[in-house]
Every structure is written in C-alpha cells, then in structure tokens.
Amino acid sequence: MADSSFDIVSKVERQEVDNALNQAGKEISQRYDFKNVGASISWSGEKILMEANSEERVKAVLDVFQSKLVKRGISLKALDAGEPQLSGKEYKIFASIEEGISQENAKKVAKIIRDEGPKGVKAQVQGEELRVSSKSRDDLQAVQALLKGQDFDFALQFVNYR
C-alpha cells in the first residue's frame, strides 16, 4: 500500500485579513473613544499601518484589529506588529502578516516528529512547507495531535491529507 501523507504549512488567507482590516476600520470610525484622535488602520503596501494621536489609542487600534483577526479564524502568531513609533504628532504601528515556515522552524518541527512521534513517520522539508508521510494514517493523525499540543511561535495548518 502507498504511503499516506499531509503537508504542514503556515499560510494566511489574504481575503480574511482584508475583511478583518475593513471590520476594524469600520469599528474605529464608529466608536466614541476613537472620535477626534485621528485613529485609522489601512494597508500600506504589504504592511498594515495603524495611526492615532497617542500611544494608548494606537495600541487600542491594534487590539481592535487583533480581535477581528481572531473572530475570522486567523492565528495572532501570523501577525508581526512592531512597537508604536512617534512620527510628527502621530503614533504609528506597522504590522506584517508572516507566511511560510522558515528552514530552522521546519527543522525544529521535523525533530519533534522524529523524537516524539510514532516510528515509521518521515518528515521532509520542501521549501516553506513540511511533508509528513507514513504507511499508517493513524500515525499521521497522532503526529497532528502531537503538533497541535506543542506551542510554536508561528501558526501551523495541515493540508493535502492523502
């Protein structure tokens, strides 16, 4: 019988991020505590730009955006937000969406699978993803359960289960 396999990836649905950003922008424009503080959130190239006239307000804009991301099922581990920076009279936070598993993170995951996973399970790094294969589908499900129990500093999804 042929091996079963699945891929471990770290991807974010760009449309869902866009929806979360639009919802956050709508809430910021309507909330009383954001009136007259110049609060805004928008795309700035590939980054997300949050602005307000005080450090507390710009952190509150980030908090609103994070809550919208969670509601849309996007892990906050994929959001890389910087510290508030003073620019003229405005405070700004630049945030980016992290995608793909770096080589060193992929090696960490593969080592965990080798050390703690069932015997006969193979993990191969393929670019920005990791292919896990085994003869037994039960072993693959055990690997998924093992990885879900781990706390990584990046988001993981399991795709192409065959």
Side-chain angles (χ1 to χ4, degrees):
M1 187 174 125
D3 283 2
S4 299
S5 69
F6 67 88
D7 295 334
I8 301 171
V9 297
S10 182
K11 287 193 176 11
V12 175
E13 190 70 41
R14 172 81 178 202
Q15 185 61 50
E16 290 297 327
V17 174
D18 210 31
N19 292 343
L21 186 113
N22 291 336
Q23 288 178 340
K26 197 175 288 184
E27 181 173 325
I28 289 164
S29 70
Q30 293 173 348
R31 266 180 43 180
Y32 178 75
D33 57 336
F34 286 118
K35 293 278 187 246
N36 301 323
V37 296
S40 68
I41 182 169
S42 62
W43 285 105
S44 174
E46 282 298 305
K47 293 190 178 281
I48 297 162
L49 171 64
M50 293 162 258
E51 297 178 297
N53 65 3
S54 75
E55 190 171 344
E56 292 77 33
R57 287 292 103 207
V58 79
K59 284 182 177 177
V61 171
L62 175 61
D63 194 44
V64 168
F65 181 55
Q66 287 175 333
S67 70
K68 298 301 179 192
L69 285 174
V70 168
K71 282 184 182 170
R72 301 208 67 84
I74 297 171
S75 172
L76 291 181
K77 292 177 182 176
L79 180 70
D80 182 24
E83 289 298 310
Q85 301 167 339
L86 183 61
S87 171
K89 294 182 179 178
E90 295 267 304
Y91 279 88
K92 296 181 179 188
I93 294 179
F94 284 98
S96 60
I97 302 295
E98 301 291 321
E99 288 193 303
I101 301 174
S102 70
Q103 288 292 328
E104 73 181 49
N105 286 338
K107 287 178 183 170
K108 277 188 215 171
V109 173
K111 182 170 174 19
I112 288 171
I113 292 170
R114 268 196 315 277
D115 295 348
E116 301 175 31
K119 298 288 177 239
V121 175
K122 297 185 286 293
Q124 304 151 313
V125 178
Q126 296 181 334
E128 292 189 336
E129 57 185 46
L130 195 68
R131 162 109 359 121
V132 180
S133 59
S134 171
K135 293 207 179 303
S136 165
R137 286 179 173 241
D138 292 343
D139 287 351
L140 292 180
Q141 289 174 340
V143 168
Q144 285 184 355
L146 169 72
L147 294 177
K148 284 179 184 171
Q150 300 287 328
D151 186 32
F152 296 108
D153 55 351
F154 53 95
L156 290 181
Q157 293 88 30
F158 307 111
V159 297
N160 295 338
Y161 188 80
R162 318 186 189 92

